[in-house]
Amino acid sequence: MKILIVSGSFFPINAPRAFRTTELVKEFVKQGHKVTLYIPYIEYDYSAFLKKYSNVKIFYTLNKEKNVVKSTGLSYKISRILNIFLEYPEVEYYFKLSSILKNEKDYDLLISIAVPHPIHWGIGRIYKKRKIARTWVADCGDPYMGVKTVNVPKMFYFKWFEKLWCKKCDYISVPTIESISGYYPEFRNKIRVIPQGFDFEAITLPEYKRNSIPTFAYAGSFIKGRREPQRLMEFLCSVTIPFKFLVFSTNGEAFMAPYKEKLGDKLECMKPISRVELLPIIAKMDFLINIGNGTNVQTPSKLIDYTLTKRPILTVQTDDMKSEIFNEFLIGNYEHRDADINISDYDIRNIVQQFIELCE
């Protein structure tokens, strides 16, 4: 098959949508398909990747990476206002994809991957005016208008853009059945549940040995007002026995700062690392912490990685610490661990097959 993928991120970016794009591209090629990939410019040499996956062609959409704006000061406030009211700079996809994809046509399958959702907007603007592909699947990690993990709801007028691409695409793929409620009812007949996928054969993990003191980890970002660790950290400050808590997060230091002095060596904050590096580390933990989003519409993809390690998982909520269960975990009693998920549902070979079946 001839496949076109348009995404907002790709390897070596360390983010769920980059994982989604990268795993799909690699597995499509392994199965003998030809892939054309459009991503924003990333300052990275893909020559080794393209040598290994010779059936891939990579092109750039936006010409440069976004400038990082500090989370304080006037520049940050201006960028937030532009993002909230105009969806800038991501809205550039809506205007630019028409010319970027002008020579692309006659694909069997087109997959657009959000976030950012303006990728869908831009393709919706031109799809069916041009014969880009027989089948267009708009892949969404999180909903847009129906998103539940933002502090400022999306502006009402963006509903027009959302309905535009939902009307034009052939299918909408979402990671969980609970995600369906985040989309407009008139388009739910187009929705197919296709989870995040990973190449399990590429993962080798160390054998677990119980640590001398309870050692546990959290990997992922925190969201103010939605996925906050305050109750968890206050509880940990009251724990008198020795323990070690490792946090891998882009914004962990800011959330952990009030507790670092009291916890000292019990708390270790680190920047996020690649999945290849992270999985062997968290596989050595006694258990793993997940902080819920407070909604079933969006499910953290980290739970797949956690499950791969075969370590017990404890999900706490921003406003519900489950202190009694946490105390059980600290003494090695995991009776009330999260229920296991069916890991075969996330095998990338099965995931790719689900996309292919949408074309047949």
Side-chain angles (χ1 to χ4, degrees):
M1 286 176 54
K2 187 181 174 187
I3 300 168
L4 173 63
I5 297 178
V6 184
S7 177
S9 57
F10 188 64
F11 169 84
I13 301 299
N14 190 18
R17 295 286 86 192
F19 301 153
R20 175 67 147 185
T21 307
T22 306
E23 295 294 332
L24 284 177
V25 168
K26 292 193 297 185
E27 186 59 29
F28 276 128
V29 172
K30 285 182 181 178
Q31 295 190 17
H33 306 292
K34 294 182 178 180
V35 177
T36 299
L37 172 66
Y38 278 85
I39 53 175
Y41 173 75
I42 300 172
E43 192 173 344
Y44 183 81
D45 182 2
Y46 284 107
S47 56
F49 180 90
L50 294 173
K51 184 177 181 179
K52 183 176 182 180
Y53 300 96
S54 56
N55 266 7
V56 178
K57 294 180 180 179
I58 297 179
F59 300 97
Y60 297 118
T61 49
L62 305 187
N63 293 328
K64 58 182 179 180
E65 297 171 302
K66 293 187 296 183
N67 293 325
V68 177
V69 179
K70 292 183 178 179
S71 58
T72 57
L74 181 61
S75 296
Y76 173 72
K77 292 178 181 178
I78 292 174
S79 68
R80 282 289 293 151
I81 290 171
L82 290 173
N83 185 256
I84 290 170
F85 291 98
L86 298 177
E87 200 61 51
Y88 181 83
E90 287 82 4
V91 74
E92 290 184 55
Y93 285 107
Y94 177 74
F95 297 102
K96 293 185 176 181
L97 281 181
S98 177
S99 59
I100 289 169
L101 301 178
K102 63 182 178 182
N103 295 321
E104 302 295 357
K105 60 181 181 179
D106 298 328
Y107 284 87
D108 297 295
L109 174 63
L110 162 61
I111 303 175
S112 57
I113 297 178
V115 293
H117 278 260
I119 290 176
H120 297 334
W121 302 359
I123 293 176
R125 186 177 171 218
I126 59 176
Y127 192 70
K128 295 190 177 178
K129 293 180 182 178
R130 304 179 192 170
K131 191 174 178 57
I132 300 177
R134 287 192 294 117
T135 303
W136 171 23
V137 182
D139 185 66
C140 305
D142 295 328
Y144 182 75
M145 292 301 292
V147 68
K148 302 296 184 182
T149 55
V150 293
N151 294 318
V152 180
K154 299 297 183 181
M155 295 296 106
F156 69 93
Y157 43 80
F158 288 129
K159 176 172 68 174
W160 183 87
F161 294 93
E162 174 113 320
K163 291 198 171 188
L164 168 72
W165 69 260
C166 286
K167 186 176 182 179
K168 294 286 190 66
C169 72
D170 298 294
Y171 298 99
I172 302 166
S173 55
V174 298
T176 67
I177 194 169
E178 291 82 7
S179 305
I180 295 174
S181 62
Y183 298 83
Y184 293 108
E186 60 264 41
F187 303 114
R188 290 179 187 172
N189 64 311
K190 293 186 175 186
I191 296 179
R192 301 294 184 270
V193 177
I194 306 181
Q196 186 83 301
F198 297 104
D199 182 2
F200 299 152
E201 294 180 353
I203 299 170
T204 303
L205 299 178
E207 182 181 352
Y208 165 72
K209 294 181 180 179
R210 185 168 182 172
N211 293 281
S212 58
I213 62 172
T215 304
F216 47 98
Y218 172 84
S221 61
F222 299 106
I223 303 173
K224 188 173 178 59
R226 297 284 181 178
R227 194 161 65 216
E228 288 195 73
Q230 181 179 358
R231 294 284 293 277
L232 168 63
M233 300 311 298
E234 289 175 352
F235 167 79
L236 290 178
C237 286
S238 71
V239 173
T240 57
I241 65 171
F243 67 83
K244 186 77 171 180
F245 181 31
L246 281 66
V247 177
F248 298 86
S249 177
T250 53
N251 57 357
E253 290 186 0
F255 282 87
M256 297 293 118
Y259 312 100
K260 182 59 181 171
E261 183 177 350
K262 186 166 186 177
L263 290 175
D265 293 340
K266 291 181 176 181
L267 174 64
E268 188 172 348
C269 295
M270 288 158 285
K271 295 295 183 183
I273 55 179
S274 69
R275 291 183 69 250
V276 175
E277 297 172 288
L278 177 66
L279 286 174
I281 294 175
I282 63 175
K284 296 178 181 179
M285 301 293 105
D286 294 305
F287 60 93
L288 302 170
I289 299 296
N290 174 49
I291 302 178
N293 290 326
T295 173
N296 289 328
V297 174
Q298 294 159 258
T299 303
S301 59
K302 72 168 69 68
L303 291 179
I304 304 168
D305 287 343
Y306 281 10
T307 302
L308 285 172
T309 68
K310 300 181 181 178
R311 304 312 310 131
I313 302 169
L314 174 60
T315 294
V316 300
Q317 301 296 338
T318 297
D319 57 354
D320 182 8
M321 226 325 284
K322 296 183 178 178
S323 56
E324 291 184 5
I325 297 177
F326 209 112
N327 281 322
E328 292 177 1
F329 270 57
L330 288 172
I331 61 173
N333 178 1
Y334 308 125
E335 179 184 356
H336 296 104
R337 63 194 289 173
D338 289 7
D340 292 336
I341 60 176
N342 184 359
I343 202 66
S344 66
D345 290 343
Y346 305 93
D347 189 319
I348 190 60
R349 294 170 296 184
N350 298 334
I351 299 303
V352 160
Q353 187 58 38
Q354 290 180 65
F355 277 104
I356 291 172
E357 288 173 356
L358 295 180
C359 293
E360 297 174 346

